[in-house]
Structure formats: structure tokens, C-alpha cells
Amino acid sequence: MSEWQRRHILSLADFSPAEYETVLRTASGFAEVLQRRNKKVPTLQGQVVTTLFFEPSTRTRSSFELAAKRLSADTINFAASSSSLSKGETILDTARTYLAMGSDIMVVRHAQAGVPQAIAREMERLGTQVRVLNAGDGQHEHPSQALLDLFTICSVVQPEQPSLSAIAGKKVAIVGDILHSRVARSNIWSLTAAGAEVHLAAPPTLLPPEFAQFADTPIPGSNAQRQLHVHWELEPALENADFVMTLRLQQERMSQSLLPSLREYHREFGLTRDRLRACQPTVKLLHPGPVNRGVELSSDLMEDESISLIQPQVTNGVAVRMALLYLIGAAVPAAVPA
Amino acid sequence: MSEWQRRHILSLADFSPAEYETVLRTASGFAEVLQRRNKKVPTLQGQVVTTLFFEPSTRTRSSFELAAKRLSADTINFAASSSSLSKGETILDTARTYLAMGSDIMVVRHAQAGVPQAIAREMERLGTQVRVLNAGDGQHEHPSQALLDLFTICSVVQPEQPSLSAIAGKKVAIVGDILHSRVARSNIWSLTAAGAEVHLAAPPTLLPPEFAQFADTPIPGSNAQRQLHVHWELEPALENADFVMTLRLQQERMSQSLLPSLREYHREFGLTRDRLRACQPTVKLLHPGPVNRGVELSSDLMEDESISLIQPQVTNGVAVRMALLYLIGAAVPAAVPA
Amino acid sequence: MSEWQRRHILSLADFSPAEYETVLRTASGFAEVLQRRNKKVPTLQGQVVTTLFFEPSTRTRSSFELAAKRLSADTINFAASSSSLSKGETILDTARTYLAMGSDIMVVRHAQAGVPQAIAREMERLGTQVRVLNAGDGQHEHPSQALLDLFTICSVVQPEQPSLSAIAGKKVAIVGDILHSRVARSNIWSLTAAGAEVHLAAPPTLLPPEFAQFADTPIPGSNAQRQLHVHWELEPALENADFVMTLRLQQERMSQSLLPSLREYHREFGLTRDRLRACQPTVKLLHPGPVNRGVELSSDLMEDESISLIQPQVTNGVAVRMALLYLIGAAVPAAVPA
């Protein structure tokens, strides 16, 4: 069993299979806690988890907040709208302020890529023990989402003790606005490193050929290579797929002339019961939410619990985030700024 | 002593006297807890109370939040403004998301009637144990407000152990914008079921004759009938009244041509010390707050603690909401979505 | 050792040296708690601290919220934007509502001077035990900020056990928009009462000669007098200063024609490394934050930890606020409105 070494969780690009296994194993333990009537454990009692959300998000923030509360941490929310940013403070000034107030872990979301990384660097430069968790940075990464997706997929195959062996050799299709999706980027890293064969499918405007460059690249801490395929049509991605993940389509892509219309998109890349017939009979469907019903997938598919993993994704999100806070947080000494 | 059977609290239309007695008795116990220095009890430790407020409300949300915290529950707030509703999610999608995160009890407010009911149905359809509490739906009902009003009235007569016998045969006047008031609707159910003689008074534009149809209808779990009277003038309602409840007048009623002016309204239906002379000498005044001073009632009446029950209503609100969360929540097994 | 007598903390104008010593000693104890891994103490368990912020402030509210949580209190936030104030309720109505819900301590911020005082008077008039803490009222006072500044200054000289002896005879310059600053007003009271020699420096439009009237006035509970000097140039204030405190410059002062331009202001009163050469070699710099970089002080000064106390100010803010909540709150019986 590997000891956890990572101080921050900013990107999955350099995660090793051993690290994924540790996340799965830890999340599995917390998923059991969440079945109990009393869902709290004292792990982070007396520690402070600060959510620094420079971009609004109810869903992800609630999930992290619940995860932190169930670990008995105190939580403080910073939302940009109510912020002193309007008063001319820089992002790092804000982070330093919440550092100085005694934050032990910062969960950071920002519309620009690289902000959580910049905050993590600053925390280290200042010699602090603060941990930083990327809760979504621009179109870059959203590691906790990809880790909950991984946990959800592995749990389907191995409900008792999910591990990477559950996903080895499985075909996973990722469909939709891959170009603009931090969820897709993080999932490409995690799923390929976990041994899945990942097939991307989208119109060319949302899936530039450069994504193919990650195919056959080495996986950190492993002798295997990433198995990745790029398609500009839906069919080859769905064929015999074990899992299909659709991405949320931002309405603004239309006005940017990247897509003709929502109806057109649904006709070409929207998932329907009919289309899923090309997949394995046991195929399961994932979506990071919230869903545009009738765009990325049909309403009936979304609500068919024999196919859709959307609800388990949300439930597992709390367990996985508890695991991440636990792994980076449990060993944190008191945050004492110099 | 009756065992509590009700899973959700959505409407008071079918509440029986026995159920009201259980609420009064339970709230009375919590009211005592609130007198202590340490106002917390461990009843809901490790459970999650989610406030889903699609319509903003500081006062009611704070009251529920405090009630939940004093029962040692964890609380998560969802406010529509900061919501993913803007992202095209439906209300039921939002509820399912907070279900999947592990909510045990949902406290729901929405500007449209029927939303808490729809969420409760969905929670049952999904086979979950989640409890739903209506915190105000459109112009339909606001059960926790009516129950705190009932507790407040009974406590005046029987401070030690408030019960329905305190209100039997008492005359209660409800004055104001009854047509648009969810508070009035819920109070009509509770006060008549509790054995009070309820007199409604308002201008005809705010009190259609249809309200009289509830007179002499049966009370669930009782052989008695509802005693209800409709008046388009204030005087007959106030005459010998034991309790007078005024309702908040929404300013927008003016622009809807339902009322000539605030001054006019106050002259016809506003409560003053002079007008209350027609009531019983021990008359007490209730208002759900916030008060438009000088409209629904004069400022001096509002602040006269020998007459006004406005402050006790707020205090009792926390005790009654603790009782409701306790009654529906204490027996809830862990919420495990399928 | 003096027993704490003060029920509310509204202004520092009448604070005695003995009271400052009690605050320093108590905060020092809590500063040690904050070094621990588990930063919580059970002092205010079961009590309710309500932040009534009629003026938005993320930073100060987070600091009070963290302080309250670390004392194990329950916290409720009232923010004016989400408020029923828009519904025509008065400020005292809002305060009475949160009183009735069971608040033990109210932390009040308002854009108008005198609001916390009015709420405190109302709480006493109603015969309640509620404590009120001024978290900034208009251009009047901001006591907790001045007390954390005092603690920070004394801690620099006496890290182990900060006391007023650390500041006796020290020269402290306060530079900037003194006229509009509640921080400056509170600091003038505390620093002079603590025995420091305070020098104010600002353009005449931001520092009217009336400020000189406080020079040589008596200090409550002391035989000494306040040592205060007014300058309309920076140099005499900085000369041999031990501590320099700059104030935040509100951008709107420009549009009010009180200042020609930010650049002009920085050229005349902005702090730079070069200017600080006139001070003591050990000079330290304070700023209440958030900083307008390049206006009140240069970015490099702000980040030079050998000079800037900005981060320690924030950290000490939590300890000092814990001390204040403890001192006024620990002896509070349950808040039972009549």
C-alpha cells in the first residue's frame, strides 16, 4: 500500500496508477460511512477548509462543503461576487488573506486556467503547509470530477472494492465539447492511466486533431501507454463501448459559431436509446451535470437508472471529495503563516 | 399519545387534532431547550438538512437553519440566484442532485404552488427516505408559519403545557390580503381544526366569497366541523376577538389595482389601539412579519409587548421548526439513493 | 487582573489601559490555540453569533465567522442584499427578529455611524442579555480592527506576552484618508491610550485640523494624556517612526474632488522603501487591507515580510475577535427575550 505523497491536487496529468488506487480505496471507505445514519467522522476536526470560488458553482461547492463538514472540518466560503476583488485586490492577495486567517485546505475554482496552481506555488513560496485542491480552472482541469467519474465506473464493475482492474481494457467514449471541457481533459488523463481505451467524439470545431497527440504517451509510474482515439463522428466511438460520457454543452458555443444549432448538435452527437444499441448491452452513461435535457442526451435516458450513472456520480462525488480532503489534509500540521 | 406517521409536511389541510397536539407537545419541549445556555441537542447529528430556497427569504431560512443547527444537523443552503437553474436544469433535477449528495431533509420554498409536493413525490418515486418540508409555496401554504402561530396562541393561554384546549371556542380574526396569503391558508386549516372560531376580514378584492366554502367542512380525525366566517368589513371580525392576526400587505397589490392606496387600506383595515377596543380586553395581536409599519398596524401596537405576539412568534418559530424537523427526521434512515 | 465589565464593544473612545491589557492577554491565549492542529475550543458551545452585515464585507465577516466557529458557537449570517430590508422592515426590526430567534451576540456592520449603538440600546431597552460588537459603522469606529492592530504592534515588540509596555513611547504614524476612516478613528483612541505617540499625516482635504483637538485629552482610567500630532505632509510623521499604518484609499474620493489623482496621491503620501528610510531601521508597516497596490504603498513593500505586518494583522484578527467574543460572550446567560 502506497503512502500518499502529494500535497496539492491540481492536475491528473502526472497521476500514477498507484495514486488512483489509493483514491479509489479511500473513497470506498468513505462511501461506506455515507451509508450510515451518522455520516460524520472526526478526521479534520478543528481544521479549516476554505472554498475560494472565483467562478460561481452551487453544485461543486455544495459537494465540497458537505465533504468537509462530514470530516468535521470548519468551512468558510469565499464567493467572488461578494468579494473584495472589486476593491482592487489581486487573486493572490485574497488567497494570502484566507491563508492568514488560518485556512488549512483551499478548494479553488476560477474561470482562468492556472489559478489554483498559482495559489499553490504562492503557499509554498511562503513556506506554509496549506494544501490546494483544484475545483476547476478554466478549460484546463477538474480533477475531483474525473476522480469521481473513475470511482463511479470502477464501482459499477466492482461494487465491493473498486480498483483499476475493473476498467482495464474497457472502452470509454467521451462525447461532446471536448475542446472547452476541463472535465474531458482530466478524464482523459485518469481513464487512460487507469488502463481504459478512451475514444473521443465531437464535431471538428469542438475536437481539434491535436488531442490525438496524447495517444501512446507514457503513463507516470507505469510501463503502459495511454490508449486514445479521436473521432469526428459518433458511431465509431459508441461501437461496443462499455461506458459513454457526455459533456455539458455551453449555450454560448452557438453564438461563437462553433455549432449550427442545439437541434443540429443533438441530431449528430446527442445520445438516445437507439444510438446506444451500438454499445455493449451493459453500457452505462455518465454526465458531469447539469444536463441540457434533449441536447446532450434524451430525457428518458437520463432518468433510466439501469443506464444512467448521473445520480451515483453526484453521490460518489461527496465520498471522493472526502477522500481527497482526507489524503491531502489528514497529515497537515497547523497552518501557521510566517 | 399518538406516534408520528407523516413523512412530509406539505399542507395542513389534512392535519388532525392529534397531530397538532403532537406538534405542540414536541415544540414545548424544544422551547425549554432554547432557554438553556447550551441550546444544542444531538438529535439529528450527522444528518443533512438542505434548504432549497428558489424564492429568497432571509428570515424563514435563518429560522430553519438555526433549528437544524440546534438539532446538530449539518446544513447546506441552495439559493436560486446562485443556482445552476440558470444553466437549464429543472427544479426536480436540482432536488435529485441534492438528494444524491446525501440530503436527509429538504426544506423547500418556491414562488409557485405545488413545488414542495412535486419534490416529495419525486423523492418517493425514487424510493428514497428523504423528507420534504414546505417552507412556503406560492399562494398555497406555509405550514411551519401556521404551526408556530398555533403554538404561540396556545402558549399565551397555557404557558406551561400548550394544547388545543387553550384555543377551543376562542375567536380568531385574520385580517388582510387573504387571497394572496399562504400564511392565511395554512392558518385557516390549523386554527379551525384546533377548534377556534375563525373570522376572515378584508376588502372583497382580497377576500373572494369562495373562502366561505370551507365553513362547516369536516376536520380530519375529528367529529367537529370547521367554524369559519367571511367579512368584508373589519368591525364584525374584531368584535370580542381573542386573537387578531394581520397579514403582510405586498406593495405590488396597489399596482395591480386591487387596492386604492396604502393610506386607504390602513384607514379601512389597519389595526390601531382604538380599533382593538372592540376585542376582548386580553386580545393579542399576531403578524408573520416583516411588518409594514403604519399599514397593517400602527407602530405603537407592534411594539406593545402586552398586546403584540410578534416577537414570541419568531422565537417560537425556531422551537416549532425544531419540532417539525425532529418529528419527520428523527426516524429517517440514512438517505441512500438507489 | 481586572474582570471584564463591558457588555458591548461599540467604541474605543472610553477604553481604559486595563481593558486593553485584558484584550491583549486574552488574544495572546487564543493566538496559541490557533497554532494547534485542532484550533477549536468549546467556550461558546450552543451559543449563537449572528453577523448582521448591512454593508457587504467578505474579509471581516469571514474573520468573525471563523473566530466564532473556533469558539464552537453556531453562526448565522444576515446580509443586507438578501434581506427583508427591501420589504420595508427597519434596522431595529431586523435586529429584534434575530434577537427573537435566539442570538446571543450580534456582530453589526452598517454604512451609517451609530447603528451598532442603536441596536445595543434596543437590546438593553428590551431587557435582553444580547451583546453587540461593532464591526464597522460608517466613518465612526471599527474597534476590532484597531484592537488587532494594537495586538499586532505589541506582539512585534513582545512576542511572548504582548502588553501595553511594548508600545509606550513608540512613535506611530497613521497615513492616508483619515477623515473618512473608521479604522483611523478607532486606532487613534487605542494607540494613544496605550501610550504611543501618534502622528497623523494626510492632505488637508483628508485631515481637517479638528483632529488636533484630541491631543492632550485625558485617557479613561489613567493619569496620562493622549499624545497626538497632525501633519499635512508625510515627512514629519515618518521621521523616526517605529510603526507606520496606511489606510485604504477609497476610489470614490477622486470623484468627490478630494484628491487630484491616485498617481498624485501616491507621489505625495504613498509609502515606498525610499521614504521609510526616514523611520527607525526596525520600522514596521500596517494596512487594514485590502491594499490598492501602488497607491497607498508599493507592491514590494507590501510583500516584504521583514517590514510588512499585513499578514500577521489578518492572522491576529481571528485571535483578537475570538478574545472579544469570549470576553463579552462567555458570561452571557441564555438570551431569552421577554
Side-chain angles (χ1 to χ4, degrees):
Chain A
M1 174 177 163
S2 70
E3 275 260 335
W4 189 261
Q5 298 293 341
R6 203 175 280 271
R7 173 181 282 192
H8 312 293
I9 296 177
L10 302 170
S11 160
L12 298 183
D14 61 348
F15 257 59
S16 69
E19 289 179 297
Y20 289 113
E21 291 284 15
T22 303
V23 171
L24 292 180
R25 197 172 49 242
T26 311
S28 184
F30 284 120
E32 275 180 69
V33 170
L34 297 184
Q35 308 279 334
R36 297 185 204 150
R37 182 172 162 75
N38 185 336
K39 294 180 274 279
K40 285 189 96 137
V41 289
T43 319
L44 296 186
Q45 171 84 31
Q47 292 200 39
V48 175
V49 174
T50 303
T51 54
L52 287 174
F53 271 50
F54 298 95
E55 185 187 72
S57 160
T58 303
R59 171 189 286 259
T60 304
R61 206 177 68 177
S62 290
S63 181
F64 271 112
E65 205 180 320
L66 266 172
K69 285 182 173 177
R70 285 166 174 189
L71 295 169
S72 300
D74 284 327
T75 58
I76 286 285
N77 293 317
F78 168 89
S81 61
S82 65
S83 125
S84 47
L85 284 187
S86 55
K87 296 184 182 175
E89 209 181 25
T90 70
I91 288 165
L92 291 184
D93 288 346
T94 301
R96 274 191 296 262
T97 297
Y98 281 86
L99 160 71
M101 284 188 203
S103 302
D104 295 292
I105 298 179
M106 294 184 184
V107 177
V108 181
R109 170 169 286 202
H110 199 286
Q112 247 183 311
V115 167
Q117 294 77 356
I119 290 177
R121 275 196 304 275
E122 179 67 6
M123 292 300 119
E124 302 217 345
R125 191 185 69 77
L126 293 171
T128 77
Q129 295 293 328
V130 170
R131 268 65 171 146
V132 178
L133 213 155
N134 180 357
D137 64 321
Q139 299 172 0
H140 179 229
E141 287 227 33
H142 192 349
S144 66
Q145 177 71 41
L147 292 168
L148 74 88
D149 291 337
L150 180 68
F151 181 81
T152 302
I153 287 175
C154 294
S155 295
V156 165
V157 183
Q158 301 172 337
E160 290 308 312
Q161 187 52 271
S163 80
L164 295 190
S165 63
I167 202 177
K170 298 284 184 190
K171 176 169 176 179
V172 183
I174 304 180
V175 177
D177 184 3
I178 289 159
L179 174 60
H180 301 94
S181 172
R182 52 195 175 207
V183 174
R185 271 176 186 69
S186 288
N187 263 300
I188 290 171
W189 296 127
S190 58
L191 294 172
T192 55
E197 193 181 290
V198 175
H199 290 251
L200 310 178
T205 48
L206 301 180
L207 177 53
E210 290 77 39
F211 272 84
Q213 69 182 298
F214 301 116
D216 306 322
T217 57
I219 297 163
S222 160
N223 296 323
Q225 295 179 328
R226 300 189 189 271
Q227 298 178 63
L228 185 70
H229 306 270
V230 167
H231 308 280
W232 291 319
E233 290 177 309
L234 185 56
E235 288 69 23
L238 292 191
E239 197 181 346
N240 292 319
D242 297 282
F243 295 93
V244 180
M245 179 182 295
T246 55
L247 302 169
R248 184 175 165 74
L249 192 70
Q250 307 292 336
Q251 306 272 352
E252 58 263 35
R253 302 296 170 237
M254 308 302 126
S255 53
Q256 296 163 334
S257 305
L258 293 171
L259 282 176
S261 73
L262 289 180
R263 179 172 306 202
E264 183 84 359
Y265 175 83
H266 183 66
R267 202 167 52 77
E268 298 278 338
F269 287 91
L271 295 178
T272 60
R273 200 172 290 274
D274 198 48
R275 280 212 164 108
L276 289 189
R277 294 224 173 80
C279 306
Q280 293 286 348
T282 58
V283 67
K284 301 287 180 188
L285 194 56
L286 296 97
H287 187 294
V291 173
N292 291 305
R293 287 159 168 267
V295 179
E296 298 111 31
L297 72 168
S298 60
S299 272
D300 69 310
L301 265 189
M302 176 182 170
E303 296 188 8
D304 182 342
E305 289 179 19
S306 71
I307 297 177
S308 165
L309 296 176
I310 297 178
Q311 291 296 94
Q313 282 177 285
V314 178
T315 300
N316 292 333
V318 179
V320 167
R321 286 173 178 124
M322 287 176 81
L324 301 181
L325 293 173
Y326 167 79
L327 286 170
I328 62 174
V332 182
V336 187
Chain B
M1 174 175 165
S2 69
E3 275 258 335
W4 190 259
Q5 298 294 341
R6 204 176 279 270
R7 174 181 282 192
H8 312 292
I9 296 177
L10 302 169
S11 160
L12 299 182
D14 62 348
F15 257 59
S16 69
E19 288 179 298
Y20 290 113
E21 291 285 14
T22 303
V23 171
L24 292 179
R25 197 173 48 243
T26 311
S28 183
F30 285 120
E32 274 180 69
V33 169
L34 297 184
Q35 308 279 332
R36 298 185 203 150
R37 179 170 164 77
N38 186 336
K39 294 180 274 276
K40 284 189 99 135
V41 290
T43 317
L44 295 186
Q45 171 85 31
Q47 292 200 42
V48 175
V49 174
T50 302
T51 55
L52 288 174
F53 271 49
F54 298 94
E55 184 187 75
S57 159
T58 303
R59 172 188 286 259
T60 304
R61 206 176 68 176
S62 290
S63 182
F64 271 111
E65 205 181 321
L66 266 173
K69 286 182 173 177
R70 285 166 175 189
L71 295 168
S72 300
D74 284 325
T75 58
I76 287 284
N77 293 318
F78 168 88
S81 61
S82 65
S83 126
S84 46
L85 284 188
S86 54
K87 297 185 183 174
E89 210 181 25
T90 70
I91 288 165
L92 291 185
D93 289 346
T94 301
R96 274 191 296 262
T97 297
Y98 280 87
L99 159 70
M101 283 188 205
S103 301
D104 296 291
I105 299 178
M106 294 185 184
V107 177
V108 181
R109 168 169 287 203
H110 198 286
Q112 246 183 311
V115 168
Q117 293 78 355
I119 290 177
R121 275 195 306 274
E122 178 68 5
M123 292 301 119
E124 303 218 344
R125 190 185 69 77
L126 294 170
T128 78
Q129 295 294 328
V130 169
R131 269 63 171 146
V132 178
L133 214 155
N134 180 356
D137 64 321
Q139 299 173 1
H140 178 230
E141 287 227 33
H142 192 349
S144 66
Q145 177 70 40
L147 291 169
L148 74 88
D149 290 338
L150 179 68
F151 181 81
T152 302
I153 287 174
C154 293
S155 295
V156 164
V157 183
Q158 300 172 338
E160 291 307 313
Q161 187 53 269
S163 81
L164 296 190
S165 63
I167 202 177
K170 299 285 183 188
K171 177 171 177 179
V172 183
I174 304 181
V175 177
D177 184 3
I178 289 160
L179 173 59
H180 301 94
S181 172
R182 53 194 176 208
V183 174
R185 270 177 188 68
S186 288
N187 264 300
I188 289 171
W189 296 126
S190 58
L191 294 171
T192 54
E197 193 182 290
V198 175
H199 291 251
L200 311 178
T205 49
L206 301 180
L207 176 55
E210 291 77 40
F211 272 84
Q213 68 182 300
F214 302 116
D216 305 324
T217 58
I219 297 163
S222 160
N223 296 322
Q225 295 179 327
R226 302 189 187 273
Q227 299 178 62
L228 185 69
H229 306 270
V230 167
H231 308 278
W232 293 318
E233 289 179 309
L234 185 56
E235 288 66 25
L238 292 191
E239 195 180 348
N240 292 319
D242 297 283
F243 295 93
V244 180
M245 180 182 297
T246 54
L247 303 169
R248 182 172 166 76
L249 192 70
Q250 307 292 336
Q251 306 273 351
E252 58 264 35
R253 302 296 169 236
M254 308 303 127
S255 52
Q256 296 163 331
S257 304
L258 294 171
L259 282 176
S261 72
L262 290 180
R263 181 172 306 202
E264 183 85 357
Y265 176 83
H266 184 68
R267 201 165 54 77
E268 298 280 338
F269 287 91
L271 296 177
T272 60
R273 200 172 291 274
D274 198 48
R275 280 210 165 112
L276 290 189
R277 293 225 173 80
C279 305
Q280 293 287 348
T282 57
V283 68
K284 301 287 179 186
L285 193 56
L286 295 97
H287 188 292
V291 173
N292 291 305
R293 287 160 168 268
V295 180
E296 298 110 31
L297 72 168
S298 60
S299 273
D300 70 309
L301 265 189
M302 175 183 170
E303 297 188 7
D304 182 342
E305 289 178 20
S306 72
I307 297 176
S308 165
L309 295 176
I310 296 176
Q311 290 297 95
Q313 283 176 283
V314 178
T315 300
N316 293 334
V318 179
V320 167
R321 287 173 177 125
M322 287 175 80
L324 300 181
L325 293 173
Y326 167 80
L327 286 170
I328 62 173
V332 182
V336 186
Chain C
M1 173 177 165
S2 70
E3 276 259 336
W4 190 261
Q5 299 293 341
R6 203 174 281 269
R7 172 181 286 193
H8 312 292
I9 297 177
L10 302 169
S11 158
L12 299 182
D14 61 349
F15 257 59
S16 69
E19 289 179 296
Y20 289 113
E21 292 284 15
T22 302
V23 171
L24 292 179
R25 196 172 49 243
T26 311
S28 183
F30 285 120
E32 274 180 70
V33 169
L34 296 185
Q35 308 280 332
R36 296 184 205 152
R37 180 169 163 77
N38 186 336
K39 295 181 273 275
K40 285 188 97 134
V41 289
T43 318
L44 296 185
Q45 171 86 29
Q47 292 200 40
V48 175
V49 174
T50 303
T51 54
L52 288 173
F53 272 49
F54 299 93
E55 184 188 73
S57 160
T58 303
R59 170 188 287 258
T60 304
R61 207 177 66 176
S62 290
S63 182
F64 270 111
E65 205 180 320
L66 266 173
K69 285 182 172 178
R70 285 167 173 186
L71 294 168
S72 300
D74 284 326
T75 58
I76 287 284
N77 293 318
F78 168 89
S81 61
S82 64
S83 127
S84 46
L85 284 187
S86 54
K87 298 185 183 174
E89 208 182 27
T90 70
I91 288 165
L92 291 185
D93 288 347
T94 301
R96 273 190 297 261
T97 296
Y98 280 86
L99 159 70
M101 283 189 205
S103 302
D104 296 291
I105 300 179
M106 294 183 184
V107 177
V108 181
R109 169 169 288 203
H110 198 286
Q112 245 183 311
V115 167
Q117 294 77 357
I119 291 177
R121 275 195 305 274
E122 179 66 6
M123 293 300 119
E124 303 217 344
R125 190 185 69 78
L126 294 170
T128 78
Q129 295 293 328
V130 169
R131 269 62 172 148
V132 178
L133 213 154
N134 179 357
D137 65 321
Q139 299 173 2
H140 179 229
E141 287 227 32
H142 192 348
S144 65
Q145 176 71 41
L147 291 169
L148 75 88
D149 291 337
L150 180 68
F151 181 81
T152 302
I153 288 174
C154 293
S155 295
V156 165
V157 183
Q158 300 172 338
E160 290 308 313
Q161 187 52 271
S163 80
L164 296 190
S165 63
I167 202 178
K170 299 284 183 189
K171 177 171 177 180
V172 182
I174 303 180
V175 177
D177 184 4
I178 289 159
L179 174 59
H180 302 93
S181 172
R182 52 195 176 205
V183 174
R185 271 178 187 68
S186 288
N187 264 300
I188 289 170
W189 295 126
S190 59
L191 294 171
T192 55
E197 193 181 291
V198 175
H199 290 251
L200 309 177
T205 48
L206 301 180
L207 177 54
E210 291 78 39
F211 272 84
Q213 69 182 299
F214 302 116
D216 306 322
T217 57
I219 296 163
S222 161
N223 297 323
Q225 294 179 328
R226 301 190 189 271
Q227 299 178 62
L228 185 70
H229 306 271
V230 168
H231 308 279
W232 292 317
E233 289 177 309
L234 186 57
E235 289 67 24
L238 293 191
E239 195 179 349
N240 290 320
D242 296 283
F243 295 92
V244 180
M245 179 182 298
T246 55
L247 303 169
R248 182 172 167 75
L249 192 70
Q250 307 292 336
Q251 306 273 352
E252 59 263 34
R253 301 297 170 237
M254 307 304 126
S255 52
Q256 296 164 332
S257 304
L258 293 171
L259 282 176
S261 74
L262 290 180
R263 179 172 305 202
E264 183 85 356
Y265 175 83
H266 183 67
R267 202 167 52 78
E268 297 280 336
F269 287 91
L271 295 178
T272 59
R273 201 172 289 274
D274 198 49
R275 281 212 164 109
L276 290 189
R277 294 225 173 79
C279 307
Q280 293 286 348
T282 57
V283 68
K284 301 285 180 190
L285 193 57
L286 296 97
H287 187 293
V291 172
N292 291 305
R293 288 160 168 267
V295 179
E296 298 110 32
L297 73 167
S298 60
S299 272
D300 69 309
L301 264 189
M302 176 183 170
E303 297 188 8
D304 183 342
E305 290 178 20
S306 71
I307 297 177
S308 165
L309 295 176
I310 296 177
Q311 290 297 94
Q313 283 177 285
V314 178
T315 300
N316 293 333
V318 179
V320 167
R321 287 173 177 124
M322 286 175 81
L324 300 181
L325 293 173
Y326 167 80
L327 286 170
I328 62 174
V332 183
V336 187

